[in-house]
Amino acid sequence: MKQKLFLIVMVAVVIFSQCQSREPQQKATLPTEEEAKMSITKTFFGKTGGGQAVDLYTLTNANKMAVKITNYGGIVTSIMVPDKNGELDDVVLGFDTLETYLEGHPYFGAIVGRYGNRIAKGQFTLKGVTYKLAANNGENHLHGGIKGFDKVVWKAKEIKKENEVGVRLSYLSKDGEEGYPGNLSAVVTYTLTNDNELKIHYEAETDKPTPVNLTHHSYFNLGGAGSGDVLGHVLTLHADRYTPVDVGLIPTGELKPVKDTPMDFTTPTAIGKRIHEVKGGYDHNYVLNNWDESQPSLRLAARVKEPISGRVMEVWTTEPGMQFYSGNFLDGTITGKKGKVYHKHYGFCLETQHFPDSPNKPNFPSTILEPGKEYTHTTVYTFKTK
Ligand code: BGC
């Protein structure tokens, strides 16, 4: 009798303790309804000419916003966002296949590095040594050279956190690559949140002083990729000044007020309103307001609205500058996703960055990364409707 009672008590204790230990565990691992709708999938995208395998990651959030990213060049190939009626459309230019990206293109959706935009005559002098970089834009160096960060295969790691999914890309740029000094270890993390934000966080470290200026080169069209030009998009830039350029698009070194010029987007203005007054169209670095070099914080840099779809995009950044490029060199020779042809001004870029040619412009904020220091930069593209 005593033995039976002991057994019953023991079984009850075991059952009770299991319930106790299981319950909180289950609670901790059960995703919320919002989290359950977030996903990240990986598919094979193809192989590079050198035989390296490349994948395509699809990040989806609870609002059905979906971003596709390949570890070839860290390229964002597609961003599906809802319009004011909840209809999804792809708002970035690009291609359906890896093969077409490999054939060459004007940096659609890519990570640009080591140096976003131009370095005059492809050279700079650092601590008495002159470095010669690859010249791939006339005599100048553009977007990291002949084989920049947009054309290399990055290592990728999937990330799933509370209310966000992402891909962490890493790449080691060897000492001497494209003429740059130092082994540079770069990490770029793309994250999609349930607030319809695409966050890009950049980090880099070096073992020798080197210029670093990483950026992202999506061509946006909030009316849908290939649907028409972007001249009717209404743009606000939080920048009172810009850096004027010479004929080779190299900054003169001046920081010029935009007031009373066609460069002024400090109040909402259609991109096409005065574009004919700007030779070649917009392809300029804006000096973003309120940048504090000692403590760079996320500030609103731009807001763009496409009146028909009602889609709105905001750009927030920790960087001092932003290249506003109105797709001037698109000329109808590129056929993109779903067979759509990309004509002049069919997309615009807002590339958050340090100013072009900073290594040769002592009055610009420095872009030199020293060993033992960390380069960081965060930019957030947020999508809304109005
Ligand atoms: C540059 C343009 C260039 C384009 C594509 C932009 O960031 O400012 O001059 O044509 O990228 O390469």
Side-chain angles (χ1 to χ4, degrees), residues 105-107 112 116-118 137 142-143 215 217 219 249 282-284 323-325 328-329 349 351 353 356:
H105 61 100
Y107 302 89
V112 174
N117 221 284
R118 293 174 176 80
N137 188 248
L142 174 68
H143 293 333
T215 190
H217 211 293
Y219 287 65
L249 296 174
Y282 296 102
D283 193 356
H284 296 83
Q323 188 82 9
F324 167 41
Y325 171 55
N328 315 323
F329 297 114
C349 303
E351 305 152 61
Q353 61 185 13

Side-chain angles (χ1 to χ4, degrees), residues 322-382:
M322 186 170 63
Q323 188 82 9
F324 167 41
Y325 171 55
S326 52
N328 315 323
F329 297 114
L330 296 173
D331 59 2
T333 53
I334 296 179
T335 302
K337 286 176 275 190
K338 295 188 179 156
K340 295 199 174 148
V341 177
Y342 299 146
H343 297 280
K344 192 168 184 173
H345 306 314
Y346 262 42
F348 66 90
C349 303
L350 291 172
E351 305 152 61
T352 52
Q353 61 185 13
H354 270 61
F355 309 163
D357 201 32
S358 297
N360 294 308
K361 297 282 184 308
N363 62 319
F364 285 177
S366 171
T367 50
I368 305 302
L369 179 67
E370 301 283 344
K373 292 265 164 37
E374 200 190 357
Y375 167 93
T376 59
H377 155 190
T378 305
T379 291
V380 184
Y381 294 94
T382 305

Side-chain angles (χ1 to χ4, degrees), residues 128-149:
V129 180
T130 297
Y131 293 91
K132 294 252 181 234
L133 303 172
N136 59 329
N137 188 248
E139 59 174 1
N140 301 322
H141 176 87
L142 174 68
H143 293 333
I146 295 160
K147 190 173 178 188
F149 289 8

Side-chain angles (χ1 to χ4, degrees), residues 97-330:
T97 64
L98 177 66
E99 288 68 38
T100 20
Y101 282 104
L102 294 174
E103 281 165 18
H105 61 100
Y107 302 89
F108 285 157
I111 294 170
V112 174
R114 282 187 200 191
Y115 201 95
N117 221 284
R118 293 174 176 80
I119 296 181
K121 298 193 170 67
Q123 69 174 49
F124 62 94
T125 302
L126 197 55
K127 300 187 200 273
V129 180
T130 297
Y131 293 91
K132 294 252 181 234
L133 303 172
N136 59 329
N137 188 248
E139 59 174 1
N140 301 322
H141 176 87
L142 174 68
H143 293 333
I146 295 160
K147 190 173 178 188
F149 289 8
D150 58 297
K151 294 182 192 71
V152 299
V153 177
W154 296 64
K155 274 193 197 144
K157 199 173 145 224
E158 296 172 33
I159 297 171
K160 197 159 184 198
K161 285 197 210 152
E162 207 184 327
N163 276 314
E164 51 184 54
V165 278
V167 189
R168 180 185 187 273
L169 301 172
S170 54
Y171 175 67
L172 176 68
S173 168
K174 296 263 176 68
D175 191 358
E177 190 175 283
E178 300 296 311
Y180 288 102
N183 291 294
L184 184 82
S185 153
V187 176
V188 178
T189 308
Y190 283 106
T191 313
L192 175 65
T193 73
N194 273 337
D195 294 323
N196 287 4
E197 298 162 321
L198 175 64
K199 289 190 203 169
I200 313 178
H201 184 61
Y202 306 80
E203 296 155 90
E205 281 178 350
T206 183
D207 58 6
K208 282 185 195 163
T210 182
V212 184
N213 188 27
L214 307 181
T215 190
H216 174 76
H217 211 293
S218 271
Y219 287 65
F220 297 98
N221 185 326
L222 301 181
S227 65
D229 67 49
V230 295
L231 300 181
H233 284 51
V234 179
L235 173 67
T236 312
L237 296 178
H238 294 278
D240 296 336
R241 292 171 301 168
Y242 74 108
T243 51
V245 285
D246 66 16
V247 284
L249 296 174
I250 300 293
T252 58
E254 199 189 343
L255 307 183
K256 203 170 173 187
V258 294
K259 205 171 164 31
D260 299 326
T261 77
M263 303 303 291
D264 190 354
F265 285 92
T266 51
T267 55
T269 307
I271 292 177
K273 191 175 175 207
R274 298 180 72 179
I275 197 169
H276 53 280
E277 296 174 49
V278 181
K279 205 165 174 267
Y282 296 102
D283 193 356
H284 296 83
N285 171 67
Y286 280 78
V287 179
L288 299 172
N289 296 341
N290 305 321
W291 186 66
D292 177 358
E293 182 155 24
S294 62
Q295 213 177 15
S297 60
L298 265 187
R299 293 113 55 235
L300 181 61
R303 188 173 190 273
V304 198
K305 184 181 170 187
E306 198 282 303
I308 300 163
S309 66
R311 287 193 189 91
V312 172
M313 181 178 80
E314 285 175 1
V315 185
W316 294 74
T317 189
T318 56
E319 285 293 275
M322 186 170 63
Q323 188 82 9
F324 167 41
Y325 171 55
S326 52
N328 315 323
F329 297 114
L330 296 173

